[in-house]
Amino acid sequence: MQNVTDDFDRFDRAILTTLAEEGRLSITELAKRIGLSKSPTQARLRRLEDLGVIRGYRAILDPIQLGLDHVAFVEVRMSDTRESSLEAFNKAVTAIPEIEQVHLIAGSFDYLLKVRTSDMRSYRRVLAEKLSTLPHVSTTSTYVAMQAVKEDGLAEIAD
């Protein structure tokens, strides 16, 4: 299966890397930084957006400054792993704002969730009132992060 990035050249990669580092650049500044004129840069950017490689633009908020420095990773084991059950779970987790990430896992459990709250008391409430009531959840195991050593989004794509 071919990856969409297989057809990217150095300019496409430069656009992605530059915008991942600083997404508020004007087209003129972006073109200057990657070494192309404005029109081809704008066309390439539009193509990357149309392909879905660039999904959007947003501010990156500092969760620590916002008082959300409690991070828990939660292993979820499902009571039913048929496709309809996974779809029900997937839909339900998207409605819980404290869940930052959800990954279906190939391993001894089914899902890994990253949950961010202000403190342990808040996390316990989220666990009891939200996570434990998700469809088809059998058991959960929580691991509390003591420190984030690296927590950045994708800043560049490999060649």
Side-chain angles (χ1 to χ4, degrees):
M1 182 173 152
Q2 184 177 355
N3 190 326
V4 69
T5 61
D6 292 345
D7 294 329
F8 288 179
D9 63 12
R10 69 181 178 95
F11 293 112
D12 294 323
R13 293 176 193 286
I15 288 170
L16 294 172
T17 299
T18 303
L19 289 178
E21 292 171 354
E22 189 177 349
R24 292 185 70 179
L25 293 176
S26 67
I27 292 294
T28 304
E29 180 62 25
L30 178 61
K32 184 173 132 185
R33 290 201 191 174
I34 69 165
L36 277 179
S37 63
K38 183 178 170 181
S39 292
T41 299
Q42 192 164 26
R44 285 171 178 267
L45 181 59
R46 191 172 300 116
R47 185 177 122 260
L48 293 168
E49 292 169 344
D50 290 345
L51 287 170
V53 175
I54 297 175
R55 296 188 324 201
Y57 302 88
R58 66 176 83 160
I60 300 171
L61 307 178
D62 185 331
I64 307 304
Q65 294 293 325
L66 294 170
L68 299 171
D69 57 348
H70 184 273
V71 175
F73 292 92
V74 183
E75 290 180 0
V76 176
R77 287 172 186 79
M78 304 290 285
S79 60
D80 183 351
T81 56
R82 289 178 290 188
E83 194 61 33
S84 61
S85 300
L86 299 179
E87 287 175 13
F89 179 87
N90 293 349
K91 183 178 179 185
V93 293
T94 63
I96 301 174
E98 294 88 353
I99 300 176
E100 277 190 359
Q101 297 179 5
V102 179
H103 301 274
L104 182 60
I105 301 293
S108 61
F109 56 95
D110 300 301
Y111 283 93
L112 182 64
L113 284 53
K114 180 181 179 187
V115 180
R116 186 178 291 276
T117 58
S118 59
D119 53 26
M120 181 60 81
R121 173 188 231 140
S122 298
Y123 171 72
R124 288 184 62 208
R125 181 186 47 75
V126 169
L127 178 64
E129 296 174 10
K130 298 179 181 182
L131 302 182
S132 296
T133 65
L134 287 166
H136 310 287
V137 170
S138 172
T139 62
T140 63
S141 297
T142 298
Y143 303 90
V144 175
M146 295 191 315
Q147 176 185 9
V149 177
K150 183 177 190 303
E151 191 171 60
D152 294 330
L154 187 60
E156 74 178 70
I157 61 171
D159 290 329

